[in-house]
Amino acid sequence: MRRPGITAKLFLAILGVTLCVVVLMTFAVQVTFRSDFLDYVREREGERIDTLASVLADYYREAGDWENLSEGGRWQRLLREALWRQREAEADHRERDEGEHRERDGGDDDDDDDHESDGSRHLFTGPAGDVPSMQGPVRFGPALLDADRRHVAGPKVVSGQTESRSVVVDGATVGWLVYRPPGRITDDLALRFQEKQFDAAWMTALVVVVLATVVSLLLARGFLAPVRRLAGATLALTAGRFDTRVDESRRDELGQLANDFNRLAETLERNERLRRAFMADISHELRTPLSVLRAELEAMEDGVRPLTRESLTGLQGSVATLSKLVDDLYELSLSDAGALNYRMEGLDLAALVRAGAEQWRSRMADAGLVLALEVPGVPVTVTADRGRVNQLLGNLLHNSLCYTDRDGEVRLSLTTRDGEAVLRLEDSAPGVPAEALERLFERLYRVEGSRSRSSGGAGLGLAICRNIAEAHGGWIEAYPSPIGGVGIRLTLPMADRVNGARQTGRVSGA
């Protein structure tokens, strides 16, 4: 069974939350409406009881007692008179506060009898002029008691929750009106009104649910469309199509994700180009000495070239070239993996540079180059691996020896500044373009032109130099040489600074 996707899950989540909120709000509105509407009905009944109390007070003033109230239908007439006064008061109130509404509806006085019934009508008169039931099966309308709470008119007082209002004449209580407030709505008109309100609430809820369905569907699709594009682009990347890009016009988190994806794709595309170039360069570098070896050996086998010491020396040179290339590749792979062995010790960099320069001075002279050395007479102590620093210095000097024109100059200097040892190697023409300086330390990168002639190496030496410098906590960079060639600047932290940093770390971590 297929599980629902993210679109379906997001759609169902938004729709489910909306449905829960709508249903809860609808039930809350219905419960609140029932309670408030019942309170309204009770308030209206209280107002009409007050009106009836006023009518009975007027009657008592004229009659002087309650003796004949229950005879000749007088009680029913007083109930109708109270109802008539209540209608008049309500009509005045509507005319005063809702006159514009009445004009819009086109109502007149003749319609009052049809529309004036509400949830309180059963208090006074029914369709036949009698007093209808107040609640449930018990028929109980307003009853009149005298000042001593003896029954005068109306239904007999029964047990249950009742309320009473005094009938006051000239400040004296002459009677009591006893009635039972409604516990529920029983009037047909009020019930119809309540049902219409509930129907309207459910209709509103249905409209809200439909709108929520449409909106949640649009949101789910709108949010997940970029995700689908990213997923498709990711599949394209896994298939090797590194030129894949996605639209990043959005200005939200999805747009940032698209931007990050494009940067990842650019990095993978660049790495793929570098990998292919690396493989092509390695194949070329390996093919050249191998081709020489094969040609020499075939010539010896065919008797074209005799097997002499000179021919063996040529073969040995090709083997040495292959061996150096393999060694450089191995060194570079170890340094990339952080697996090179470093035996750090306090090292006088000034003495090491002087010794290295003396080793290379004769070779420089044979190539027609002058090696100028400028090193302090005091020790410059760094914490480093002697063999690796020698290897780094040898690679730099070999690079200048290979690429500097004859009758040129190579300057090697060592200075200190701010707790750092700075080694500079500057050679004379030819130089390299400014845009190529940053790429000199890339593996197998060689500048097209005069500094890429056949006397150069495979382009791995400077890459190894960079890894060695970084392993010592320093850095190496290239810049235009003031004497026309290329300058290399190596910066290493001095021993005092390294030891101080370690001591600070121990103290702060204690």
Side-chain angles (χ1 to χ4, degrees):
M1 180 178 180
R2 183 179 178 181
R3 295 183 178 180
I6 298 179
T7 304
K9 291 179 180 178
L10 183 59
F11 168 73
L12 293 175
I14 297 176
L15 182 60
V17 171
T18 304
L19 284 174
C20 292
V21 172
V22 168
V23 170
L24 289 176
M25 289 185 61
T26 302
F27 277 111
V29 167
Q30 291 184 1
V31 172
T32 304
F33 178 81
R34 285 191 181 97
S35 176
D36 293 344
F37 192 61
L38 187 58
D39 291 341
Y40 166 75
V41 170
R42 290 175 176 174
E43 182 178 349
R44 292 292 303 275
E45 290 181 354
E47 291 177 356
R48 294 185 179 183
I49 290 294
D50 291 339
T51 303
L52 179 58
S54 177
V55 170
L56 291 175
D58 293 341
Y59 172 82
Y60 191 88
R61 288 190 187 93
E62 294 179 1
D65 55 31
W66 305 113
E67 294 294 334
N68 300 318
L69 179 60
S70 59
E71 299 178 358
R74 292 177 183 174
W75 174 248
Q76 295 296 332
R77 286 197 297 272
L78 290 177
L79 291 178
R80 284 192 289 271
E81 182 179 351
L83 180 60
W84 177 80
R85 288 189 186 182
Q86 185 67 24
R87 290 175 178 175
E88 274 199 334
E90 292 173 356
D92 292 342
H93 181 72
R94 285 195 300 268
E95 289 178 359
R96 184 169 58 252
D97 295 338
E98 302 177 2
E100 295 181 359
H101 180 70
R102 289 184 59 198
E103 292 177 0
R104 194 163 51 247
D105 292 344
D108 55 11
D109 294 341
D110 294 337
D111 295 334
D112 287 346
D113 292 341
D114 296 332
H115 298 286
E116 85 126 46
S117 297
D118 58 14
S120 301
R121 176 182 177 183
H122 60 270
L123 276 173
F124 301 109
T125 179
D130 60 338
V131 180
S133 63
M134 293 291 293
Q135 179 177 355
V138 180
R139 301 181 61 85
F140 183 73
L144 177 62
L145 308 180
D146 61 12
D148 296 329
R149 294 190 176 272
R150 293 189 296 269
H151 182 264
V152 176
K156 297 291 185 179
V157 178
V158 297
S159 60
Q161 183 180 2
T162 59
E163 294 184 6
S164 60
R165 299 287 177 88
S166 60
V167 180
V168 181
V169 177
D170 298 331
T173 300
V174 298
W176 297 89
L177 274 174
V178 180
Y179 68 99
R180 177 177 296 162
R184 58 188 178 90
I185 300 173
T186 57
D187 184 78
D188 293 338
L189 183 60
L191 290 173
R192 286 197 299 271
F193 175 74
Q194 178 177 271
E195 290 176 359
K196 288 181 179 179
Q197 296 302 312
F198 290 168
D199 292 342
W202 284 113
M203 184 60 66
T204 303
L206 179 61
V207 172
V208 171
V209 169
V210 172
L211 291 177
T213 303
V214 175
V215 171
S216 59
L217 183 60
L218 293 178
L219 285 176
R221 290 184 175 179
F223 283 143
L224 295 176
V227 177
R228 291 195 188 94
R229 289 195 292 268
L230 283 171
T234 304
L235 290 176
L237 282 184
T238 58
R241 298 195 297 272
F242 299 115
D243 59 342
T244 305
R245 300 293 184 272
V246 295
D247 179 30
E248 49 183 272
S249 59
R250 297 175 67 103
R251 292 296 179 266
D252 53 11
E253 289 80 358
L254 291 174
Q256 181 61 42
L257 181 60
N259 180 61
D260 295 340
F261 175 87
N262 289 339
R263 292 173 59 186
L264 172 63
E266 292 172 1
T267 302
L268 292 175
E269 185 178 17
R270 182 174 65 254
N271 290 341
E272 178 64 14
R273 289 198 303 267
L274 292 175
R275 185 189 67 82
R276 292 178 179 179
F278 179 80
M279 296 303 298
D281 291 341
I282 287 295
S283 300
H284 173 73
E285 295 295 334
L286 291 173
R287 187 185 302 114
T288 301
L290 284 174
S291 298
V292 173
L293 280 173
R294 183 174 60 183
E296 291 288 333
L297 291 173
E298 289 177 353
M300 292 178 183
E301 288 178 350
D302 296 339
V304 176
R305 184 176 178 86
L307 182 60
T308 63
R309 181 177 297 274
E310 289 77 10
S311 61
L312 289 177
T313 301
L315 293 176
Q316 190 68 24
S318 297
V319 172
T321 301
L322 279 174
S323 178
K324 185 178 186 308
L325 177 59
V326 172
D327 290 342
D328 286 346
L329 287 172
Y330 180 67
E331 291 278 340
L332 186 61
S333 64
L334 289 180
S335 62
D336 284 342
L340 279 180
N341 294 321
Y342 290 89
R343 299 182 63 180
M344 298 298 187
E345 59 180 338
L347 176 66
D348 184 2
L349 186 60
L352 186 145
V353 171
R354 279 193 295 268
E358 291 302 323
Q359 292 177 1
W360 283 84
R361 191 179 298 278
S362 60
R363 298 179 62 181
M364 292 283 184
D366 293 341
L369 302 176
V370 176
L371 177 59
L373 181 63
E374 183 180 350
V375 178
V378 296
V380 178
T381 306
V382 297
T383 301
D385 183 294
R386 181 181 297 272
R388 297 302 177 187
V389 174
N390 257 327
Q391 180 184 5
L392 186 153
L393 180 61
N395 284 344
L396 295 181
L397 290 170
H398 180 267
N399 188 69
S400 293
L401 176 64
C402 293
Y403 293 118
T404 305
D405 289 341
R406 192 173 184 82
D407 298 329
E409 180 183 3
V410 177
R411 296 177 181 176
L412 184 60
S413 64
L414 178 64
T415 59
T416 60
R417 66 177 185 187
D418 300 330
E420 295 174 337
V422 181
L423 177 68
R424 290 183 177 87
L425 189 146
E426 300 169 344
D427 56 31
S428 56
V432 300
E435 61 273 8
L437 289 174
E438 295 182 357
R439 301 192 59 191
L440 288 180
F441 299 97
E442 294 180 6
R443 62 196 62 187
L444 297 176
Y445 177 77
R446 298 201 303 187
V447 182
E448 297 296 332
S450 58
R451 288 190 72 98
S452 184
R453 63 177 185 230
S454 59
S455 58
L460 297 176
L462 291 180
I464 296 174
C465 289
R466 180 181 60 182
N467 289 348
I468 293 175
E470 291 176 352
H472 284 80
W475 64 93
I476 191 170
E477 55 188 345
Y479 60 94
S481 171
I483 56 177
V486 175
I488 303 294
R489 182 186 298 111
L490 170 66
T491 304
L492 295 175
M494 296 180 65
D496 293 341
R497 180 176 176 183
V498 173
N499 294 335
R502 291 176 178 172
Q503 183 67 24
T504 301
R506 287 196 295 269
V507 172
S508 61

